[in-house]
Amino acid sequence: MLEVTDLDVSYGEARALWGVSLDIHANEIVSIVGVNGAGKSTLVNTIAGLLRPAAGRIRMDGKDISRVPSHLICEHGVAVVPEGRRILPHMTVQDNLDLGAYRHGARASRTKRLAWIHSLFPILHDRRHQAAGTLSGGEQQMLAIGRALMSDPKLLLLDEPSLGLAPVIVDTIFDVVTQLRESVSVCLVEQDINRALGISTRGYVLQEGRIVLADSSQKLLANDDVRRACLGV
């Protein structure tokens, strides 16, 4: 499904990613783990079209999307839940969800997908007429995920979904992400390696802009090099 090959990304003269290669298959959860500053969000933003690679290719279902503008990336089946959620606080919960279905291909299935998202996160149905900015942090994260799913994606990019949330809320969100593999592939970017690798099938360890390890999640969890790369121990 997604193929990233020899990706280099720079901010001006500063290189952020060096020769990054990875792949994600259909109905699979793949984790990208690493410490803060390793390049995880840069990788997500590049796949999402918000940054342009200096070299390398990004393919989705065999099509090169390396230079596709960010507002057209969703047409190729990619949706992003950005770090910090970035909901529209003065709009209602329902209006935020409807924005996710603006893509022409998603409009026909809006009602069905909305019912599915309400089943995943019942609180979004209960608060549908409420201003999104009045939700708790965890509820806003649920809304951000629901908004992305409204676009009917093949691949969901989740950037630091546990950031700043209480453990009980993180448990709920990760339980839902586990369910999503039946309908959509997930690229999960996280600092919490135990939670991320605990629900994914495979993982990549990013360190100083380079992929330093790639293996099954079970093997990565048992690898002392992962602890050193991600936890500094």
Side-chain angles (χ1 to χ4, degrees):
M1 178 179 286
L2 178 75
E3 300 173 81
V4 177
T5 307
D6 296 328
L7 198 68
D8 291 348
V9 180
S10 298
Y11 294 97
E13 298 297 319
R15 181 70 60 85
L17 295 179
W18 306 72
V20 170
S21 295
L22 60 89
D23 59 86
I24 299 175
H25 306 140
N27 302 109
E28 183 179 38
I29 300 176
V30 173
S31 291
I32 313 294
V33 297
V35 298
N36 189 33
K40 303 187 303 296
S41 291
T42 296
L43 177 58
V44 168
N45 289 337
T46 306
I47 295 171
L50 297 170
L51 296 171
R52 288 285 175 261
R57 286 186 177 180
I58 304 167
R59 292 186 181 92
M60 185 68 182
D61 287 338
K63 296 179 180 179
D64 192 334
I65 63 170
S66 308
R67 296 287 185 272
V68 172
S70 58
H71 67 283
L72 296 178
I73 285 291
C74 62
E75 298 293 343
H76 295 270
V78 180
V80 186
V81 181
E83 181 181 349
R85 301 179 281 274
R86 300 183 191 175
I87 59 152
L88 297 175
H90 301 297
M91 295 177 65
T92 66
V93 169
Q94 186 61 62
D95 287 342
N96 270 268
L97 290 174
D98 283 338
L99 279 175
Y102 81 95
R103 186 177 71 84
H104 179 73
R107 293 172 194 166
S109 62
R110 174 196 172 278
T111 301
K112 180 179 179 180
R113 297 195 71 76
L114 185 61
W116 175 53
I117 289 161
H118 284 163
S119 73
L120 293 173
F121 300 117
I123 193 67
L124 297 183
H125 177 268
D126 298 341
R127 306 282 176 86
R128 62 190 182 279
H129 300 305
Q130 189 171 321
T134 65
L135 300 179
S136 69
E139 291 164 353
Q140 289 184 18
Q141 185 66 70
M142 295 174 192
L143 177 57
I145 294 172
R147 179 181 59 188
L149 292 173
M150 284 293 288
S151 70
D152 194 16
K154 297 177 182 177
L155 174 66
L156 186 68
L157 303 175
L158 268 174
D159 193 0
E160 303 284 5
S162 71
L163 189 65
L165 302 182
V168 65
I169 300 299
V170 176
D171 288 342
T172 298
I173 288 173
F174 273 60
D175 285 345
V176 169
V177 172
T178 302
Q179 298 175 44
L180 292 180
R181 79 171 78 208
E182 299 176 7
S183 306
V184 61
S185 297
V186 178
C187 177
L188 175 60
V189 172
E190 259 291 339
Q191 290 189 59
D192 189 334
I193 64 170
N194 291 319
R195 284 187 186 274
L197 294 175
I199 68 167
S200 58
T201 51
R202 295 186 296 117
Y204 294 87
V205 179
L206 197 59
Q207 186 176 31
E208 296 181 350
R210 293 178 170 87
I211 298 290
V212 295
L213 289 166
D215 213 327
S216 70
S217 295
Q218 186 176 11
K219 289 182 178 178
L220 288 176
L221 279 170
N223 191 324
D224 288 339
D225 289 335
V226 174
R227 293 177 60 80
R228 283 190 285 271
C230 296
L231 303 176
V233 296

